[in-house]
Amino acid sequence: DQQVKQNSPSLSVQEGRISILNCDYTNSMFDYFLWYKKYPAEGPTFLISISSIKDKNEDGRFTVFLNKSAKHLSLHIVPSQPGDSAVYFCALGTGANSKLTFGKGITLSVRP
Amino acid sequence: ETGVTQSPTHLIKTRGQQVTLRCSSQSGHNTVSWYQQALGQGPQFIFQYYREEENGRGNFPPRFSGLQFPNYSSELNVNALELDDSALYLCASSLRAAEAFFGQGTRLTVV
């Protein structure tokens, strides 16, 4: 059973526009939500997180939105830059320092 | 402050052999988790160590085992390697908070 779903395997956007990456989950016990970016031949790099007590967290060009009732998480990148081209994973946890359950990832391509 | 480092970066093993992968956690981090990432998939949790004790395990058979040392570095051991064990193995360290920081991974190929 797939508890975390990233249904779109890829996304292509024009430089300067907004990138919206989505993530859906089924287990309401998840209470910590993270996004990681991964380049080829590197490990995932932590981007931004949000806890279940918030519905939005912003860090520079990156904003994460959480809709607990819909069990939906999204990452907005604005403006998108070619260097943002990578695979993005949502990762969900229950409690402090629990195991993380990852989605399959979305490949983002930002066209110059 | 040093990040998470893993060794080796690549290795090739024969089916049935045993392998040990190593991870040095980020300075000050007392928790290490191991993940397996198969091609086209997200990382899957193998197990976690906190202060040298196993602190949770994913759906992996007992031939996957681990250790954490007093300096919080860690090893992942896999016995009786199978072809399906071919994957990227990722180590992540953290400080009892959910933001885990990953190493670059070890690419294991079983032939």
Side-chain angles (χ1 to χ4, degrees), chain A residues 39-98:
Chain A
Y39 294 117
E42 293 184 13
T45 302
F46 170 73
L47 267 180
I48 191 168
S49 65
I50 189 169
S51 69
S52 59
I53 61 173
K54 292 187 171 183
D55 55 18
K56 176 182 173 181
N57 188 27
E58 204 169 341
D59 184 2
R61 296 186 297 116
F62 302 92
T63 303
V64 57
F65 294 92
L66 175 63
N67 183 335
K68 289 188 294 293
S69 60
K71 295 190 181 67
H72 180 79
L73 180 70
S74 63
L75 174 68
H76 293 207
I77 306 173
V78 57
S80 302
Q81 299 173 353
D84 296 329
S85 298
V87 179
Y88 288 78
F89 293 97
C90 60
L92 283 61
T94 53
N97 209 27
S98 64

Side-chain angles (χ1 to χ4, degrees), chain A residues 32 34 36 38 41-44 46 49 89 95-100 102-105, chain B residues 31 35 37 40-43 45 48 88 90 94 96-104:
Chain A
Y32 212 94
L34 304 91
Y36 284 86
K38 187 178 185 300
E42 293 184 13
F46 170 73
S49 65
F89 293 97
N97 209 27
S98 64
K99 71 170 192 176
L100 294 175
F102 283 79
K104 286 189 175 183
Chain B
T31 302
Y35 291 81
Q37 187 181 10
Q41 303 294 317
F45 177 76
Q48 181 184 87
L88 180 68
L90 294 161
S94 55
R96 292 302 279 175
E99 288 90 0
F101 293 86
F102 285 82
Q104 83 281 13

